[in-house]
Amino acid sequence: MNFLEERILKDGIVKEGNVLKVDSFLNHQMDIALFDEIGKEFKRRFAGKNINKILTIEASGIGIACVAAQHFHVPVVFAKKAKSINLEGEMYVAEVESFTHKCKNQVIVAQKFLSAKDHVLIIDDFLANGCALQGLIQLVQSAEAAVEGIGIVIEKGFQSGGRMIRNLGYQLESLAIVDSMDAEKGTIVFREQG
Ligand code: 5GP
């Protein structure tokens, strides 16, 4: 069991509706020493990749991406969620359905921060059905930049996103993959990773 799986078992709370609450260390209160270990592990898994930019999505991805960026020595761009778009300047736009809030958002990135020269590592906190990732990939494709890899902190392997993204051929690295969880019993089972 890795450092993250241990922490999820210790402090994660399984909620009804397939939601794993990790707000005591990941997406409300943030354990920066843990984030640093996460960043180090992403760096190890994407060693040898030519990455010059990290792309994430507000809000929960930002802290993780910023700490990870210190291991890659690259800037972080975060896609902004916009309810209605005031197209000030040139923007790339993609549509994302929120798993946790059950609503649709447009996500935007200014064209000046993403271009055909960029080799992008996409980072996010959770992977469920893959909508957030599809939106981020679409933004990178709109810029004609390259997706070098995708780093996820917690993948819920019983939902469809991971399979869909791997089938598209991307190097997707999830530091913990939850294969099943039970809100009533409070149990979490992780996938063995080599
Ligand atoms: P997807 O777009 O893959 O369906 O969902 C990913 C997004 O939904 C993530 O950016 C994350 O913020 C949120 N999310 C999905 N599942 C969970 C969960 O079980 N717990 C928490 N805290 N966030 C989740």
Side-chain angles (χ1 to χ4, degrees), residues 29-182:
Q29 176 168 259
M30 297 180 285
D31 181 335
I32 302 307
L34 182 83
F35 280 24
D36 196 51
E37 288 303 310
I38 289 168
K40 225 183 272 173
E41 183 60 16
F42 281 144
K43 178 69 186 165
R44 192 182 70 77
R45 294 196 188 199
F46 294 104
K49 287 273 183 178
N50 170 25
I51 289 161
N52 74 331
K53 198 161 278 185
I54 291 177
L55 176 68
T56 188
I57 183 165
E58 68 176 359
S60 304
I62 297 175
I64 299 155
C66 287
V67 178
Q70 293 197 295
H71 294 274
F72 289 86
H73 305 289
V74 298
V76 174
V77 175
F78 65 91
K80 296 187 176 198
K81 291 175 182 162
K83 277 263 161 357
S84 67
I85 288 184
N86 174 11
L87 274 176
E88 261 179 57
E90 299 296 303
M91 299 282 182
Y92 297 117
V93 183
E95 189 131 298
V96 168
E97 193 160 349
S98 163
F99 176 82
T100 35
H101 300 112
K102 311 281 179 225
C103 63
K104 276 192 179 173
N105 279 305
Q106 280 175 315
V107 291
I108 58 173
V109 166
Q111 291 187 4
K112 63 182 171 185
F113 298 131
L114 209 50
S115 78
K117 291 191 205 122
D118 287 323
H119 294 265
V120 179
L121 173 64
I122 295 175
I123 284 184
D124 203 6
D125 58 344
F126 270 91
L127 171 57
N129 294 319
C131 300
L133 277 188
Q134 275 183 307
L136 291 172
I137 290 168
Q138 196 184 319
L139 292 173
V140 176
Q141 286 173 340
S142 302
E144 296 179 6
V147 176
E148 292 293 334
I150 300 170
I152 294 291
V153 181
I154 304 172
E155 174 180 334
K156 292 187 292 182
F158 53 87
Q159 291 178 273
S160 61
R163 197 178 328 112
M164 185 254 301
I165 296 290
R166 289 187 181 93
N167 283 343
L168 290 171
Y170 294 107
Q171 182 184 347
L172 167 63
E173 298 287 344
S174 301
L175 303 193
I177 303 180
V178 176
D179 259 344
S180 64
M181 56 189 203
D182 187 313

